[in-house]
Amino acid sequence: MSLSDYFVRKPEFEIFALETADLPQAAAIHKSRFTHAWSDGELHSLLIQDTVFGFIARQNNAYTRPFITQPLVGGFVLSRVAGGEAEILTIGIDPRFSRLGLGWRLMRAALREARDQAAEAVFLEVDETNIAAIALYRKLGFAKVGERRAYYQDINGAKTGALVMRLDLG
């Protein structure tokens, strides 16, 4: 450990229920990660549905808390449960905080809530080129159960497939 490690602290994050007040920050993260990002209005129209829930990772660093008026957001996840099945609608991690375990923590919170709401399985779709996300989902126990060819389109019009993945909660 170098001397500078004592003066530079990584942000610490806690997981909270996603609220409508969090949606502008969630939309900004979504925009930084997805070509066809959802606006805070689109996220709001989902979150107000009875079957939809989400979680957000907010900074909670005791050393900087007195100086912060609006806590830093590291990521969020939005999910829904219906008919005994859950779906991860979207997840986004601020690129500045990638590889800190926030995706893992947010997904675990969503899976716990899905189980608490009696979901027996969770589904999600992921771009087949998103190697980091696929690795996370596999680590959580998801398995590929299908494909959607040419499902996603980037800003240049190139299309990539989506993997459909499933996790049994039982």
Side-chain angles (χ1 to χ4, degrees), residues 1-156:
M1 203 164 172
S2 72
L3 183 59
S4 66
D5 291 335
Y6 290 102
F7 298 106
V8 178
R9 285 184 55 89
K10 290 182 182 174
E12 297 172 8
F13 291 92
E14 287 187 53
I15 308 301
F16 297 93
L18 185 65
E19 299 175 358
T20 56
D22 299 317
L23 296 177
Q25 289 175 293
I29 291 171
H30 207 262
K31 184 176 182 179
S32 74
R33 288 299 197 177
F34 296 94
T35 303
H36 302 287
W38 296 347
S39 69
D40 56 337
E42 290 167 310
L43 293 171
H44 183 265
S45 69
L46 287 166
L47 188 59
I48 62 172
Q49 297 175 25
D50 291 338
T51 59
V52 176
F53 60 91
F55 295 94
I56 192 159
R58 273 197 219 109
Q59 184 179 25
N60 185 21
N61 188 325
Y63 294 104
T64 59
R65 191 179 311 124
F67 308 105
I68 295 176
T69 56
Q70 184 172 3
L72 192 60
V73 171
F76 76 102
V77 63
L78 194 63
S79 307
R80 78 170 139 221
V81 173
E85 293 180 344
E87 178 184 8
I88 303 298
L89 298 170
T90 192
I91 180 170
I93 306 300
D94 185 312
R96 297 174 295 172
F97 306 114
S98 292
R99 311 207 51 85
L100 293 180
L102 293 180
W104 172 267
R105 293 175 60 200
L106 287 163
M107 285 294 294
R108 294 289 297 166
L111 296 175
R112 228 179 354 265
E113 181 65 22
R115 185 177 287 117
D116 288 350
Q117 291 192 31
E120 296 174 9
V122 181
F123 291 87
L124 60 81
E125 293 171 349
V126 59
D127 189 315
E128 66 187 359
T129 64
N130 192 339
I131 305 304
I134 293 168
L136 169 65
Y137 302 145
R138 286 189 174 139
K139 186 175 177 182
L140 287 163
F142 282 85
K144 177 184 160 189
V145 294
E147 270 182 63
R148 297 180 193 270
R149 300 217 182 271
Y151 187 73
Y152 294 108
Q153 183 174 342
D154 71 15
I155 199 162
N156 299 318

